[in-house]
Amino acid sequence: MLKLHYNLEKVSMGLVAAIIVAASIGGIVEIAPLFTIDETVELPDDLRPHTPLELAGREIYIREGCYACHSQMVRSLADEIDRYGPYSLASESAYDHPMLWGSKRTGPDLARLGGKYSDAWHVAHLIDPRSVVPVSIMPSYPWLTRPLDTDLLSDSLATLARLGVPYDDGMIASAAADALAQSRPDSAAMDGFQERYGERPAARAFDGDPSRLTEMDALVAYLQSLGTLTDAPFRTQAEDSR
Amino acid sequence: MIETLSVPERRTGTILAILLALMGLAMAAAARHGVMSAHGFMALGLGLGLAFRLGGGLYESEPPKDRMHRYYDAPTRFGIVMTLVWAMIGMGVGVWVAALLYWPEATPPWPATCFGRLRPVHTTGIIFGFGGNALIATSFHVLQRTSRARMADNLSPWVVLIGYNLFCAWAITGYLMGSTQSKEYAEAEWYADLWLVVIWVTYFALYIRTLARRNEPHIYVANWYYLAFILVVAMLHIVNNLALPVRLTVAESFPVWSGVQDAMVQWWYGHNAVAFFLTAGFLGMLYYFLPVRSGRPIWSYRLSIVSFWGITFFYIWVGSHHLHYTALPYWAQTLGMTFSVMLLVPSWASAGNAIATLNGAWHKVRDDATLRFMFVAAVFYGLSTFEGSFLAIRPVNSLSHYTDWTVGHVHSGTLGWVAMIVFGAIYTLVPQLGGKKDMASPRAVEWHFWLAVTGTLVYVVSMWNAGITQGLMWRAYDANGALSYSFVQSVQAMAPYYLLRTIGGGLFLTGAAICAWNCRATMRGAAGQATDRPLVAQAAE
Amino acid sequence: MRNPTDPRNLPGADPHTGNRKIDPVTGYDTTGHDWGGITELNTAFPKIVIWALVLTFLYSVVSWILLPAWPTGRDYTRGLLGLDQGEEAIKGFNDLSDRRQDWLSRFSGDDFDALRADAALMAAAMPAAARLFSDNCAACHGTLGQGGPGFPVLSDDTWLWSGDPEEIAMTIRHGINADDPDTRYAEMPPFDWMERPDRIALAEFVADLPNGPADFESSAGTLFSENCGSCHGETGAGGLEIGAPSLTDRAMIYGQYPEAVMLTLRHGRHGVMPAWTGRLSEAEINLLALYVAQLGQHGGGPR
Ligand code: HEM
Ligand code: HEM
Ligand SMILES: [Ca+2]
Ligand SMILES: [Ca+2]
Ligand SMILES: [Cu+2]
């Protein structure tokens, strides 16, 4: 062995090849099976992708770095189930490019956030967290009241569709209109929106002002969608409890 | 830089600079507005600046004819300067974000300066800016010295360093303007990722070409580590950053991976960014500067072999320890946990080898703050890898994950190990590069040492307390089987620790600032040549 | 073939003179290589490293045998213990639920008076209620139920609906104006049709109500009686249990100043209290209802 190495360390490309081999095995063994073992991700029938407005909100969540303080992954631990709700399933983030599981909980987990608070609370909290939670150390995001740029939405949906997220051509074509419709439920575009996305996604003036489509609309719509894309975690929990 | 290049090299350099400017122009023109156009203008400005400098000085006096028989240290000097610049940026932002967690009201009401955008500025600025420049700069030095050969050519070191710093600048200005892929330690957008691939290939080619010119048949251990750093980081970077741009003219993209596979790829990358960026490369640094400074031979060649291959092979498996109890399948977690435990052995073997190398030089450790930096680095390397393997055990991780314990572990590794070894290397290198005997102020080195050690201890101990408190509060149950604390109570409990951490970080930053000043004072004036022995020309392979 | 581990053949021998360089400190020779002054010792491989490798490897093998570990293509080894982390977690959660069962289950029924009378039970339960309140309700209603702009005070004794635990439980279960088929409905209609001077007068009148006896014969008072009394009560004291708040206490939800009332009159109000069925169990909801009812009695909560 020593002799072998003694010779190897005289040949730079040999060393290079050996390093590549040694450093490839682990990754291959751990990553490849995640695509081949079926039970890794079991897509539930009721899983829906994000609507264009929620997707825009997700991009804002990413842009502002909320993931630096908030996880979206309830671990399989009794106390986390107790505090946050059913533990997270792999299928829940199957359409998430990238996933936002997070690695630090400076603030609480958000995986089960949808429906927990009202839109008005989110708006107040995002503009000034300390106005509602005096001891909060979360930053304020007062600039989120600016208009939402929907220019990229169609292309975003198209890109995700190429990666396997179930957006059809109609959804791609009317992404910007659908974003507007979801924040202005009384408008005429609402029918088209519901035709494409069904009744489940909440459609409201999320920022409280139906006359303007703002970044706040998008972010709050996204926050309200967290944990509501499928009921699978609740079903799994109910089955296992029995 | 220019005085070390020949006229043909200046000409090629000018052409490359013009190409860079054209690329920038094309980006700016295609994107028209937004982050990508700002980045285009940055490249345009840099390219034009370089082109004017090189083209304008095309016929200035040429370097001495015998330059190919000397080591090429100008790029190293530039890399060290950039290391110190990024240290100030990265650590300055680190202290600032630490302060924000104690004093959130201090956040100015504009987007670029809120915590979520600044945190990746800190991590990228410090890991890639500070760490990366230190690695590249020292690797150039170590490679030439341990090969007894001059760099294979005179332009590629500049391409690597300048191109790499452009990547860092693109990355952090991108975050400030709101463009990020959100993948930890790989947040830069798609075109910056591509740019880094180009730079990295140049770096690898330069490394391997120079190695081929070496005058000692055996490749020294430091170079094994630098090679592993270059190769594996390339592999990780490419796979983790695979993404489809939303449009070719915007700084927005979607990673090809999603959900659980994305999580695994991300932490396969993320952990090995730790392993091959923050560890392998710096072990290379340790393996060179420790024996040089202490004047001692490496304690055990055989141990070096086992540690190197152990580290290279085991590390790659352990990324899944970042995903314990998550939706990642249990089997992958078990592998991550067990390989992390086995990884402790080669890690401690490296630390032990370094410390044993100091046998016979303990009096120097006592007297020489520079050597003490390296000694403390080796100790913290041992500490943080022990802690890491411990945290990787599932039940321990159930307590520590998501808490500030992780942050404490991170900084025992990065402050105690990475930054300390960099300072040790800098204090060895800078006088040598400047043709001086010692740093301008040896007393300042002593001050820096104690500030760094105190800062690290205050930081790390406060975060251990914070993390364990947090973890225990989240899972505390009262006698009646009900959760004892609400989440915000745990937030409130963090306040004193966050304050202490800010103070510890401030001490560390002060030390680094003293270092930067001292290096400037040492480098100023004397444009001396390194006094190492000249080369004998002959190829090894 | 030369045996490289045989000391006589060790590469430590100087390639030119044949002499080995012995390091005076450790007594070992060097490998004979010299990289710009750096040398390496030929120290024997420390046994302890081998032992450590063996030990950690054994730990790993045992783990691999017991736990899910190695992928096998389309499947993976399940491990002798047959563990599934999801099931483990639920089991742990069920254990916790069992521990709470003896007192928490008593809250599943709705005999609130009996529950309230049981001092020992309440003492055991109130810390849990306080934690639940802090994690779920305090964001809106404040840690002590003191409310906040847009969110009603729960620690006083005027109620939108009622201070009865039954009614409070109903509110928590289904929310107000919430996304729930059985939610309570309460809307303050906009009075944007009203002339602006009238609105201003009315706003000043309402903002002044808490300050003492008001003149309902004045023009603003008449406007009030005609338009608002039906919901907020003749004197504006609320208490009709239809979700319309008292306007005479000092705990106005949206602020006790004319500008806030103007906004209310112009746009109406449609405050949303989320529904908690699904998120909290029936027993937890009842527990919270009692807790909130107590907040009202003690004006600040038991803690
Ligand atoms: C002046 C000294 C420093 C201070 C005050 C500081 C402060 C911080 C703070 C406040 C965070 C965010 C923690 C959180 O989100 O709760 C952080 C994260 C981080 N820092 Fe530093 N830092 C310093 C130096 C360094 C150095 C020298 C390095 C690397 C060489 C480094 C690497 C990191 C990394 C990798 C993270 C991310 C940790 C994670 O995601 O868990 N830091 N630092
Ligand atoms: C044997 C060696 C090591 C092992 C097994 C190890 C293991 C771990 C574990 C288990 C975590 C916590 C993951 C979590 O719960 O989120 C972690 C986080 C981390 N470690 Fe280590 N560690 C080792 C050495 C190091 C060293 C030497 C450094 C730095 C120089 C380092 C830097 C980090 C960073 C930056 C993170 C934070 C990642 C993130 O969440 O953003 N580790 N490590
Ligand atoms: Ca709106
Ligand atoms: Ca990237
Ligand atoms: Cu790790």
Side-chain angles (χ1 to χ4, degrees):
Chain A
M1 281 301 279
L2 193 61
K3 173 94 180 170
L4 189 74
H5 200 276
Y6 195 73
N7 290 328
L8 178 66
E9 68 188 47
K10 287 194 270 193
V11 190
S12 55
M13 285 320 271
L15 203 56
V16 166
I19 291 172
I20 292 179
V21 171
S24 298
I25 300 171
I28 294 170
V29 172
E30 288 185 3
I31 296 170
L34 294 179
F35 292 92
T36 60
I37 301 176
D38 293 335
E39 73 177 61
T40 306
V41 185
E42 289 165 324
L43 279 193
D45 295 334
D46 66 344
L47 179 66
R48 72 165 175 90
H50 285 296
T51 64
L53 186 64
E54 292 161 2
L55 190 69
R58 190 171 195 273
E59 290 304 314
I60 295 168
Y61 184 93
I62 289 174
R63 180 187 80 195
E64 301 302 345
C66 311
Y67 62 87
C69 288
H70 291 286
S71 58
Q72 290 185 21
M73 170 51 60
V74 181
R75 291 181 296 167
S76 302
L77 291 168
D79 56 299
E80 300 219 345
I81 298 175
D82 211 358
R83 190 182 300 276
Y84 297 112
Y87 61 84
S88 298
L89 301 180
S91 56
E92 289 181 83
S93 46
Y95 297 146
D96 282 0
H97 297 262
M99 57 85 206
L100 292 173
W101 294 6
S103 65
K104 179 79 212 303
R105 270 187 198 151
T106 304
D109 188 274
L110 302 182
R112 302 278 167 257
L113 182 71
K116 185 180 177 194
Y117 299 129
S118 59
D119 301 340
W121 183 85
H122 282 299
V123 173
H125 184 247
L126 286 165
I127 289 178
D128 178 10
R130 277 155 294 285
S131 72
V132 280
V133 183
V135 298
S136 178
I137 57 169
M138 175 163 144
S140 317
Y141 297 92
W143 58 86
L144 292 177
T145 49
R146 66 193 177 194
L148 179 71
D149 183 356
T150 54
D151 183 38
L152 280 181
L153 271 181
S154 278
D155 286 345
S156 296
L157 260 67
T159 312
L160 285 169
R162 283 172 63 195
L163 294 171
V165 182
Y167 292 121
D168 59 33
D169 291 345
M171 292 169 166
I172 294 171
S174 40
D178 284 341
L180 190 63
Q182 198 182 352
S183 78
R184 199 179 285 174
D186 301 331
S187 69
M190 192 58 198
D191 293 341
F193 173 76
Q194 288 196 331
E195 208 172 284
R196 283 180 283 277
Y197 295 94
E199 308 260 307
R200 272 170 61 212
R204 298 188 291 258
F206 292 95
D207 66 352
D209 178 1
S211 68
R212 292 177 71 228
L213 177 58
T214 61
E215 296 194 333
M216 189 65 89
D217 278 315
L219 183 56
V220 174
Y222 171 64
L223 293 175
Q224 295 289 25
S225 80
L226 292 177
T228 67
L229 301 185
T230 165
D231 280 336
F234 292 87
R235 287 196 297 270
T236 312
Q237 165 132 332
E239 278 160 27
D240 284 357
S241 309
R242 246 178 274 126
Chain B
M1 149 190 183
I2 189 154
E3 64 285 355
T4 65
L5 298 175
S6 68
V7 173
E9 281 160 359
R10 290 176 198 167
R11 208 170 286 132
T12 319
T14 313
I15 293 170
L16 287 176
I18 291 173
L19 286 178
L20 174 64
L22 287 177
M23 181 189 81
L25 188 65
M27 276 170 71
R32 274 207 222 108
H33 56 83
V35 179
M36 192 168 176
S37 99
H39 284 167
F41 280 115
M42 280 167 69
L44 177 64
L46 179 65
L48 286 181
L50 287 169
F52 278 122
R53 181 78 192 84
L54 286 166
L58 206 53
Y59 298 108
E60 278 172 20
S61 63
E62 286 207 69
K65 284 277 172 300
D66 69 341
R67 65 176 179 149
M68 293 311 280
H69 297 284
R70 300 234 189 87
Y71 294 129
Y72 192 27
D73 286 334
T76 305
R77 203 170 306 143
F78 172 71
I80 295 287
V81 172
M82 290 315 292
T83 305
L84 291 165
V85 169
W86 283 108
M88 289 299 105
I89 298 174
M91 290 178 203
V93 175
V95 174
W96 177 240
V97 293
L100 284 184
L101 287 181
Y102 179 71
W103 189 30
E105 297 90 341
T107 314
W110 47 79
T113 48
C114 72
F115 181 89
R117 294 193 189 191
L118 285 182
R119 190 187 197 267
V121 171
H122 165 61
T123 53
T124 303
I126 203 77
I127 299 178
F128 293 97
F130 167 72
N133 274 298
L135 285 171
I136 297 174
T138 57
S139 76
F140 287 166
H141 178 89
V142 172
L143 173 63
Q144 298 184 84
R145 297 321 192 266
T146 56
S147 306
R148 266 186 278 131
R150 184 187 170 91
M151 214 76 89
D153 76 289
N154 299 308
L155 269 183
S156 10
W158 295 107
V159 173
V160 172
L161 274 168
I162 294 174
Y164 181 77
N165 280 287
L166 177 63
F167 165 80
C168 296
W170 271 356
I172 66 159
T173 51
Y175 313 152
L176 293 176
M177 291 183 278
S179 135
T180 166
Q181 286 179 320
S182 85
K183 294 181 73 93
E184 280 183 72
Y185 317 128
E187 293 94 340
E189 268 297 350
W190 61 275
Y191 53 87
D193 289 339
L194 283 175
W195 174 251
L196 186 61
V197 173
V198 174
I199 299 301
W200 218 249
V201 169
T202 317
Y203 185 23
F204 175 67
L206 171 64
Y207 214 90
I208 216 72
R209 281 159 60 222
T210 308
L211 264 186
R213 294 156 53 94
R214 72 187 179 278
N215 288 297
E216 155 67 46
H218 287 263
I219 300 174
Y220 180 54
V221 192
N223 290 317
W224 311 351
Y225 279 109
Y226 280 122
L227 266 183
F229 150 65
I230 298 172
L231 287 167
V232 184
V233 166
M235 193 166 98
L236 298 165
H237 172 79
I238 291 171
V239 176
N240 187 44
N241 282 303
L242 287 175
L244 286 187
V246 172
R247 248 184 238 162
L248 284 176
T249 52
V250 298
E252 223 176 283
S253 61
F254 291 101
V256 301
W257 314 109
S258 73
V260 62
Q261 291 93 359
D262 184 41
M264 185 63 232
V265 171
Q266 161 59 34
W267 287 111
W268 165 80
Y269 167 91
H271 181 85
N272 290 295
V274 168
F276 291 88
F277 212 106
L278 294 177
T279 297
F282 291 97
L283 280 171
M285 206 184 277
L286 178 80
Y287 258 102
Y288 179 82
F289 289 100
L290 185 80
V292 161
R293 189 76 186 188
S294 65
R296 294 285 307 150
I298 291 292
W299 182 65
S300 171
Y301 162 65
R302 289 147 208 257
L303 202 52
S304 303
I305 297 176
V306 169
S307 336
F308 175 76
W309 291 106
I311 283 176
T312 308
F313 178 71
F314 286 150
Y315 248 122
I316 271 297
W317 292 80
V318 307
S320 44
H321 65 214
H322 292 258
L323 298 167
H324 282 333
Y325 298 97
T326 66
L328 181 79
Y330 199 156
W331 61 262
Q333 302 176 24
T334 307
L335 290 181
M337 171 174 84
T338 49
F339 275 87
S340 302
V341 171
M342 291 192 277
L343 176 59
L344 181 60
V345 182
S347 301
W348 268 28
S350 311
N353 210 355
I355 292 171
T357 296
L358 292 173
N359 270 338
W362 290 113
H363 59 288
K364 291 194 192 167
V365 176
R366 190 191 58 211
D367 299 337
D368 178 10
T370 303
L371 195 53
R372 232 180 296 132
F373 266 114
M374 301 185 205
F375 167 64
V376 171
V379 170
F380 268 100
Y381 175 63
L383 264 176
S384 57
T385 49
F386 175 78
E387 185 184 25
S389 299
F390 184 61
L391 292 179
I393 299 170
R394 268 170 44 103
V396 181
N397 196 264
S398 74
L399 179 77
S400 71
H401 188 57
Y402 291 140
T403 73
D404 280 299
W405 191 351
T406 305
V407 178
H409 160 68
V410 170
H411 289 86
S412 107
T414 54
L415 300 176
W417 153 235
V418 171
M420 298 277 187
I421 187 65
V422 171
F423 292 133
I426 285 182
Y427 286 131
T428 314
L429 253 182
V430 166
Q432 201 187 338
L433 292 177
K436 308 264 171 75
K437 276 186 78 129
D438 206 346
M439 292 298 293
S441 165
R443 264 178 61 102
V445 181
E446 195 68 42
W447 269 95
H448 179 192
F449 175 79
W450 290 110
L451 282 169
V453 170
T454 320
T456 305
L457 287 176
V458 172
Y459 190 125
V460 172
V461 173
S462 61
M463 284 300 101
W464 281 337
N465 274 298
I468 294 172
T469 307
Q470 224 169 14
L472 290 176
M473 282 178 87
W474 291 347
R475 58 157 65 166
Y477 277 89
D478 63 22
N480 296 309
L483 282 169
S484 300
Y485 301 100
S486 65
F487 189 88
V488 280
Q489 286 178 306
S490 78
V491 174
Q492 278 178 286
M494 291 305 101
Y497 306 119
Y498 285 172
L499 177 61
L500 269 178
R501 184 247 306 264
T502 311
I503 295 171
L507 293 177
F508 201 90
L509 174 68
T510 312
I514 292 177
C515 172
W517 163 81
N518 204 355
C519 288
R520 215 187 104 114
T522 313
M523 281 182 176
R524 205 166 29 194
Q529 279 280 342
T531 48
D532 318 39
R533 72 174 110 156
L535 300 167
V536 265
Q538 116 202 7
E541 275 179 38
Chain C
M1 188 116 183
R2 278 179 11 145
N3 175 6
T5 54
D6 180 339
R8 284 164 305 176
N9 290 331
L10 274 176
D14 186 296
H16 302 297
T17 64
N19 292 335
R20 285 162 40 193
K21 295 179 202 139
I22 300 290
D23 171 51
V25 180
T26 54
Y28 281 102
D29 57 352
T30 71
T31 53
H33 307 135
D34 182 336
W35 295 276
I38 300 180
T39 55
E40 293 169 320
L41 294 175
N42 232 328
T43 317
F45 195 83
K47 288 264 175 338
I48 181 161
V49 176
I50 312 246
W51 281 113
L53 271 175
V54 169
L55 208 72
T56 52
F57 183 68
L58 280 180
Y59 164 82
S60 301
V61 172
V62 171
S63 306
W64 297 336
I65 294 174
L66 294 179
L67 304 172
W70 286 92
T72 55
R74 303 193 62 85
D75 207 347
Y76 57 89
T77 62
R78 309 268 153 174
L80 291 183
L81 297 183
L83 295 185
D84 174 290
Q85 62 169 13
E87 282 168 19
E88 290 299 296
I90 298 286
K91 215 186 298 164
F93 182 63
N94 289 343
D95 288 349
L96 281 170
S97 307
D98 290 345
R99 260 175 78 193
R100 297 195 280 250
Q101 201 56 22
D102 52 337
W103 59 270
L104 192 57
S105 63
R106 308 251 320 262
F107 289 87
S108 305
D110 54 2
D111 188 352
F112 288 101
D113 289 334
L115 290 170
R116 220 184 324 214
D118 188 338
L121 180 65
M122 291 302 275
M126 278 307 118
R131 200 284 299 177
L132 280 171
F133 189 85
S134 179
D135 261 345
N136 295 295
C137 324
C140 294
H141 296 288
T143 334
L144 304 172
Q146 75 275 27
F151 307 103
V153 182
L154 301 180
S155 58
D156 60 6
D157 50 7
T158 50
W159 298 91
L160 296 166
W161 296 91
S162 158
D164 278 351
E166 290 86 13
E167 292 298 317
I168 295 180
M170 183 65 116
T171 304
I172 301 174
R173 216 173 282 131
H174 303 296
I176 304 170
N177 300 327
D179 217 1
D180 181 298
D182 300 319
T183 192
R184 291 191 190 277
Y185 181 76
E187 178 146 305
M188 161 77 195
F191 284 81
D192 46 358
W193 49 264
M194 206 180 258
E195 297 295 329
R196 197 175 143 80
D198 285 352
R199 282 209 307 265
I200 295 176
L202 198 47
E204 277 163 3
F205 179 81
V206 169
D208 204 34
L209 275 179
N211 294 336
D215 178 8
F216 285 90
E217 305 299 318
S218 67
S219 62
T222 328
L223 275 174
F224 187 90
S225 306
E226 282 169 6
N227 292 296
C228 325
S230 54
C231 292
H232 291 280
E234 293 289 294
T235 58
L240 300 183
E241 304 187 3
I242 55 165
S246 154
L247 304 175
T248 55
D249 62 359
R250 293 198 172 273
M252 299 277 277
I253 306 177
Y254 301 97
Q256 191 201 325
Y257 44 95
E259 291 79 6
V261 181
M262 280 297 281
L263 276 178
T264 303
L265 288 174
R266 188 168 152 71
H267 300 292
R269 295 284 185 187
H270 190 81
V272 174
M273 149 89 182
W276 296 85
T277 326
R279 205 175 283 277
L280 301 176
S281 72
E282 190 59 28
E284 286 171 328
I285 289 176
N286 288 339
L287 174 57
L288 274 171
L290 275 168
Y291 178 81
V292 169
Q294 270 201 4
L295 282 182
Q297 281 166 9
H298 302 301
R303 268 194 135 183

